[in-house]
Amino acid sequence: MMPFSIEPAWAACLSAQQASQAIASGAARRLSSVAGGVGGEIVNAQLCDEGGRLVYRLVVKMGQGRVANVVVDARTGQVLQR
């Protein structure tokens, strides 16, 4: 069985070092600064480059045990997809 991935083919997720550099340079906010807007507990996060835009691809545990995939603009903190 192939593992399931929520990452689209055009996304290139950053390594931990690349993510740290993006945050240090101001190209991306810290995950903690966008966490409040996602509506639940973040259980997995990746910082990815999608067509020149940095986004956080998140797996979020919502109320009543529901899990959602959420995409957040890493620079503005705006939720792009739920």
Side-chain angles (χ1 to χ4, degrees):
M1 176 182 239
M2 300 223 2
F4 177 76
S5 174
I6 62 168
E7 179 182 328
W10 64 88
C13 293
L14 282 60
S15 69
Q17 181 178 3
Q18 291 169 320
S20 292
Q21 290 172 344
I23 292 166
S25 74
R29 291 181 172 196
R30 292 188 177 279
L31 181 60
S32 60
S33 74
V34 301
V38 299
E41 176 189 352
I42 298 171
V43 294
N44 189 16
Q46 292 181 299
L47 182 58
C48 303
D49 181 339
E50 290 188 3
R53 172 192 243 179
L54 290 177
V55 298
Y56 281 108
R57 299 194 62 75
L58 309 172
V59 177
V60 180
K61 183 177 176 185
M62 310 298 268
Q64 300 176 345
R66 207 181 59 168
V67 176
N69 296 319
V70 180
V71 179
V72 177
D73 184 298
R75 190 178 51 78
T76 66
Q78 177 185 5
V79 174
L80 303 173
Q81 177 184 342
R82 283 194 193 269

